[in-house]
Amino acid sequence: MSKEKKSEFKPYHHPAGGWGAANATAKVLMEQSVLVKGSRGLLSMNQPGGFKCPSCAFPDADHRKKLEFCENGAKALAHEVTKGRVTRDFFEKYTVTELMEKSDYWLEMQGRLTEPMRYDAKTDKYVPVAWDDAFKLIGDHLQALDSPHQAEFYTSGRTANETAFLYSIFVREFGTNNFPDCSNMCHEPTSRGLPPSIGIGKGTVVLADFEHAEAIFVIGQNTGTNSPRMMTYLVEARKRGVPIVLINPMPERALIRFTEPQDVLQMATFGSTPISSEFVHVRIGGDLAIFKGMMKVLFEADERGEPALDHDFIAQHTLGLEAVREEAMSCSWADITRISGISEEQIRRIAEIYRKSNATIICFGMGLTQHQQGAHMLQQLANLLLLRGNFGKPGAGIAPIRGHSNVQGDRTVGIDEKPPQDYLDRVRDAFGFEPPRENGHHVLESLEAMEASTAKVFIGLGGNFARAVPDTERSYNAMRNLNLTVGIATKLNRGHLVHGKDALILPVVARSEIIHTEAGEQFVTIEDAMSNVTASRGVFEPVTPHVLPETEIVCRMAMATLPKSKTAWDRYMVDYNPIRDKIAEVYPHIYSDFSEKIKNPHGFHLDIPPRRRVWMTPTGKANFLLMPGLEVDDAIADPAMLRLATIRSHDQYNTTIYSNNDRYRGVYNNRLVIFMNKEDMQDRGLENGAVIGLETYSSDDFRRYVDGLTVIDYPMPRGAIAGYYPELNPLLPLGFFDEVSGTPAAKSIPVKVVPSVASAAPIKIAG
């Protein structure tokens, strides 16, 4: 029996990347017993003719290296091609109640799902089910609903374009726009906030822009953990002398110093590159105040007659400047510095960096989107870029750094609970049915429907919905009200254990595996975070003969549910080229000649009008949009309040936990930790390593409380703390979200420290 590992906090002083990343890659391949197979797969990952990394959405370079992957990608692949198997014998061994007691890490480590399973209430176990019977069960449940709106159809960002497109057609032919998807929980403020400003809810830069940028801002994003391949471009920019400004509540190791694992000289000499030229240690929720302060500096310089604004660009391409100027100038420096936690001197310094740059890229992550007014805050970020004409020229633009590898593509091809009417017209014309016209449910609305028992069926096309969503206890109880839950996945996760009265687990062919059909080997396509579409072809045989491609599962669900459908599901199930032809028919402006364009080994870029300085807004111009004040989240009068940001560790990807370590932050064998400022600890009488509980400030009747959390002294701003997702999801109320997009405000949860009643294993604190 293995000895339980002891918890430890040991600050990490080495550069990020480098030998640490190389060792971690080798270690995970050996842990999953796939050193040879995994190494072979890594040679095909993100290469022409190979498969797209199932991890992050960062683009591939046109001129690829021999090894075009990062530590995260290696972990994702190792866990995908693992020798571990979750078989019928496994499910015979454990009841669902027993499995619920296991950790997320333990569930992940069991390996690949191997055949379809159905929940048996009498034994509280999953038992084998034939594929035909599984599809009949889905069809029976959906056909028995009083209304199509009683079903919720979730999509994970790993779903390929072809599958997501057909899923959107199936669900709309069924009769609803209920499309909760993972974008609702992360970058939905981008999708909903940017279109009124610049006419599109996507980023406007491509990789080549990093070569021409004169300044780069990285805001609310931990690049080294969440998008490590982006570090290459930041390293190259710093070597050219480009200033890189990091704005974040946590100092992240990779953005301090980084060693490129593929740089032979740096690896041989243990060298590294300093990344951020300026670290802005903002308080949680203080970013808006910084943006307003920077705008104020630019307007002041403009009034003095100094070059600060791009007046030609503003006059030709924008509307609304004066109202934004007046509002920014009315903000006092006392309020700006108090709310941001940043001195006027530093804000003026980074504003000067921005003013002197003729081409600036601003990258951002969920540190900006997951707030109560995340969408409005992104509009202010766009305002800042518009002031200097930083759209439609080399080296400039806005860059949302998205997570899942096709989360942006899924939205592009129809996974949208608020579909545009002209898109619905094209669906009608292409497929010959009248799609529903009313808006459907996003994630939080779907949970409300489950809680009210107005939702009866939940189908999850990938992902780990139950574990990813907020308000864990309420959400679990809501999902247990359902008549049927369907989990379509490669690995066992918590979402399969929080189930309805009937439940199915349907195993799928993984991204790295070959898709075999009657028409021959098929490939799928992926859109990255910079709107480049590329082909993905698996290189390994499927884990067992009893797993199916996602596209076939969607088609067979449709055939079982819609027996009178005129859609050619049986054809699309085996040949993916006609699917791409239909995508081109429904999206003629961006996907014309799809089948021809995708033959290019490097793929092709979708059209992004702001890159051409074309603005698809009602005004035909880019719009400066007003957001009064400096606060982005509700203020709480209690001085004991802290703002909690939920974060990922270095050894996880979304809800997938690869280990209980967080190397760059120095945490080992523990995920129930809270990072806290030393003075905030002293104010509460806490020593380093103390065990506490956290309770949420909320106005409803639910008490949200997590106990047994170990406090770690960490360089956080005053009033800000951080801890791991999804363990701290129970503290995030369903009613605490961005007002425009519905995205949970997971980066600014108001909490207070309460005494712990739990016994927690002591954590060793190293110097």
Side-chain angles (χ1 to χ4, degrees):
M1 189 173 178
S2 61
K3 195 173 181 180
E4 186 174 349
K5 297 178 181 178
K6 292 184 178 180
S7 299
E8 184 178 14
F9 173 64
K10 184 169 57 177
Y12 190 85
H13 300 297
H14 307 289
W19 288 107
N23 291 338
T25 297
K27 181 180 178 183
V28 72
L29 294 173
M30 289 187 288
E31 282 178 345
Q32 300 303 315
S33 302
V34 290
L35 185 59
V36 175
K37 182 179 181 181
S39 299
R40 182 160 58 92
L42 290 173
L43 293 174
S44 297
M45 184 184 285
N46 300 320
Q47 300 289 350
F51 61 94
K52 296 291 292 180
C53 177
S55 188
C56 80
F58 199 75
D60 301 327
D62 285 339
H63 304 290
R64 290 176 173 86
K65 302 173 183 175
K66 183 68 173 175
L67 301 177
E68 190 63 51
F69 64 88
C70 67
E71 179 184 340
N72 273 8
K75 291 172 185 173
L77 178 64
H79 282 248
E80 188 168 281
V81 301
T82 176
K83 288 192 174 180
R85 298 290 183 266
V86 178
T87 64
R88 60 177 61 189
D89 292 337
F90 171 90
F91 284 112
E92 177 60 32
K93 183 177 179 181
Y94 297 102
T95 66
V96 170
T97 301
E98 290 169 337
L99 290 173
M100 277 296 289
E101 297 301 313
K102 303 294 186 180
S103 69
D104 296 308
Y105 170 61
W106 187 92
L107 294 174
E108 169 65 23
M109 292 297 288
Q110 301 315 299
R112 289 287 299 279
L113 296 164
T114 56
E115 63 179 316
M117 307 296 291
R118 177 179 178 176
Y119 179 68
D120 177 51
K122 291 181 181 178
T123 61
D124 188 33
K125 293 180 179 180
Y126 276 98
V127 297
V129 62
W131 276 108
D132 287 345
D133 293 337
F135 292 124
K136 184 178 185 304
L137 181 66
I138 294 169
D140 289 347
H141 270 280
L142 291 175
Q143 290 171 356
L145 297 176
D146 296 328
S147 164
H149 306 308
Q150 292 179 324
E152 308 289 343
F153 297 88
Y154 179 73
T155 317
S156 161
R158 289 189 184 184
T159 305
N161 288 325
E162 291 75 8
T163 310
F165 176 74
L166 285 187
Y167 194 50
S168 72
I169 299 304
F170 158 46
V171 173
R172 292 195 165 98
E173 187 170 355
F174 177 62
T176 186
N177 287 313
N178 286 351
F179 282 108
D181 79 304
C182 61
S183 178
N184 297 157
M185 291 182 279
C186 55
H187 269 280
E188 195 72 8
T190 304
S191 301
R192 304 299 178 194
L194 289 183
S197 176
I198 62 172
I200 193 168
K202 298 184 179 185
T204 65
V205 305
V206 297
L207 280 182
D209 286 315
F210 282 86
E211 299 173 9
H212 302 285
E214 296 182 13
I216 300 172
F217 285 67
V218 180
I219 307 175
Q221 205 260 343
N222 179 8
T223 311
T225 287
N226 298 335
S227 303
R229 286 195 295 150
M230 179 177 164
M231 293 303 304
T232 297
Y233 298 90
L234 298 182
V235 167
E236 291 172 354
R238 284 301 289 139
K239 289 178 178 177
R240 296 196 311 271
V242 174
I244 296 176
V245 177
L246 170 63
I247 303 176
N248 209 43
M250 299 186 79
E252 302 293 0
R253 192 66 201 165
L255 289 167
I256 297 172
R257 296 194 73 85
F258 186 79
T259 299
E260 288 189 89
Q262 297 186 43
D263 186 322
V264 176
L265 180 61
Q266 276 200 343
M267 292 289 282
T269 60
F270 296 92
S272 62
T273 303
I275 302 299
S276 59
S277 52
E278 187 91 34
F279 174 50
V280 184
H281 203 188
V282 64
R283 286 179 178 159
I284 287 177
D287 305 87
L288 176 62
I290 291 176
F291 304 159
K292 293 281 185 78
M294 291 176 67
M295 285 191 273
K296 188 179 177 77
V297 172
L298 294 178
F299 288 133
E300 289 173 348
D302 186 60
E303 289 180 353
R304 294 193 300 268
E306 299 173 8
L309 309 186
D310 187 335
H311 288 286
D312 290 341
F313 173 87
I314 291 169
Q316 185 176 351
H317 293 284
T318 74
L319 294 172
L321 173 65
E322 291 311 315
V324 168
R325 182 199 297 265
E326 182 179 348
E327 202 282 327
M329 293 299 285
S330 71
C331 296
S332 71
W333 279 109
D335 287 340
I336 289 170
T337 57
R338 174 179 56 81
I339 292 169
S340 67
I342 304 302
S343 69
E344 179 181 346
E345 177 188 13
Q346 187 173 29
I347 294 174
R348 288 188 177 278
R349 191 162 62 242
I350 63 172
E352 279 298 296
I353 291 172
Y354 180 64
R355 186 179 73 86
K356 291 177 180 178
S357 166
N358 293 310
T360 300
I361 295 174
I362 298 184
C363 310
F364 68 90
M366 290 186 290
L368 289 191
T369 62
Q370 291 183 325
H371 289 270
Q372 282 181 296
Q373 295 192 70
H376 289 312
M377 185 153 56
L378 296 186
Q379 292 170 356
Q380 300 308 298
L381 198 63
N383 285 351
L384 191 58
L385 286 165
L386 290 170
L387 289 175
R388 301 263 316 136
N390 278 307
F391 289 102
K393 63 182 180 182
I398 195 165
I401 307 301
R402 295 181 185 258
H404 267 132
S405 62
N406 199 43
V407 63
Q408 184 166 300
D410 288 351
R411 174 58 54 85
T412 300
V413 299
I415 302 301
D416 189 349
E417 80 280 2
K418 297 181 177 67
Q421 294 300 308
D422 60 341
Y423 154 77
L424 295 175
D425 291 342
R426 295 193 299 272
V427 168
R428 176 198 61 206
D429 296 342
F431 287 93
F433 67 84
E434 182 59 46
R437 297 285 170 164
E438 62 270 43
N439 289 343
H441 293 161
H442 57 51
V443 163
L444 298 186
E445 291 164 339
S446 72
L447 286 166
E448 290 171 359
M450 293 177 202
E451 195 169 44
S453 294
T454 55
K456 306 293 184 183
V457 173
F458 172 85
I459 297 177
L461 186 58
N464 185 2
F465 181 85
R467 197 61 170 137
V469 297
D471 230 341
T472 304
E473 183 179 352
R474 284 183 68 187
S475 297
Y476 282 7
N477 290 335
M479 293 200 71
R480 290 175 176 132
N481 288 336
L482 293 160
N483 291 336
L484 172 69
T485 52
V486 180
I488 301 168
T490 57
K491 307 285 290 288
L492 181 66
N493 64 48
R494 188 76 54 194
H496 306 137
L497 309 178
V498 181
H499 57 79
K501 299 175 183 66
D502 268 332
L504 292 167
I505 300 175
L506 304 182
V508 300
V509 173
R511 182 75 64 79
S512 61
E513 294 172 340
I514 301 168
I515 300 173
H516 295 288
T517 75
E518 294 174 7
E521 185 178 323
Q522 303 297 314
F523 68 88
V524 294
T525 59
I526 305 297
E527 179 187 345
D528 63 39
M530 294 180 185
S531 303
N532 196 49
V533 178
T534 48
S536 178
R537 295 174 174 85
V539 297
F540 300 120
E541 287 299 318
V543 61
T544 74
H546 307 296
V547 300
L548 294 180
E550 281 186 317
T551 301
E552 180 175 344
I553 291 175
V554 169
C555 290
R556 292 181 66 178
M557 287 194 298
M559 293 162 70
T561 306
L562 306 169
K564 297 181 180 179
S565 173
K566 296 179 181 178
T567 303
W569 302 110
D570 54 348
R571 182 187 183 200
Y572 300 142
M573 186 167 68
V574 298
D575 188 351
Y576 293 5
N577 281 319
I579 306 174
R580 286 184 277 272
D581 292 340
K582 279 294 184 181
I583 293 174
E585 186 176 347
V586 174
Y587 297 97
H589 300 301
I590 59 173
Y591 268 114
S592 62
D593 300 321
F594 190 0
S595 295
E596 285 301 311
K597 289 177 180 175
I598 201 60
K599 292 177 182 178
N600 184 329
H602 298 289
F604 63 96
H605 277 95
L606 300 178
D607 180 45
I608 302 298
R611 288 189 59 78
R612 297 182 282 111
R613 293 190 167 179
V614 172
W615 318 100
M616 306 300 289
T617 64
T619 65
K621 297 286 186 78
N623 295 300
F624 285 96
L625 298 175
L626 197 61
M627 180 182 177
L630 298 169
E631 299 278 5
V632 294
D633 297 298
D634 291 341
I636 305 259
D638 190 344
M641 185 204 74
L642 296 165
R643 290 260 178 221
L644 166 68
T646 61
I647 59 173
R648 298 195 308 208
S649 75
H650 187 64
D651 237 4
Q652 78 177 94
Y653 191 76
N654 292 342
T655 58
T656 303
I657 312 300
Y658 296 131
S659 84
N660 292 317
N661 301 332
D662 189 358
R663 184 170 82 246
Y664 292 159
R665 298 190 184 104
V667 178
Y668 297 89
N669 306 312
N670 197 334
R671 288 185 56 84
L672 291 175
V673 300
I674 290 296
F675 301 98
M676 187 181 294
N677 177 286
K678 189 170 188 176
E679 293 175 59
D680 284 333
M681 291 169 58
Q682 292 171 346
D683 289 348
R684 291 158 179 80
L686 301 174
E687 298 289 336
N688 206 10
V691 178
I692 63 167
L694 286 180
E695 183 175 346
T696 308
Y697 290 85
S698 57
S699 57
D700 55 30
D701 296 329
F702 293 90
R703 187 190 184 215
R704 295 171 180 85
Y705 173 70
V706 173
D707 201 1
L709 298 166
T710 299
V711 177
I712 291 177
D713 175 8
Y714 204 80
M716 300 291 296
R718 288 299 303 269
I721 60 174
Y724 296 126
Y725 154 101
E727 286 82 358
L728 297 182
N729 279 3
L731 295 170
L732 178 54
L734 287 177
F736 194 62
F737 57 84
D738 173 49
E739 59 186 35
V740 172
S741 66
T743 296
K747 291 296 184 285
S748 187
I749 308 170
V751 296
K752 59 183 173 182
V753 173
V754 294
S756 172
V757 296
S759 58
I763 185 168
K764 179 182 177 183
I765 307 292

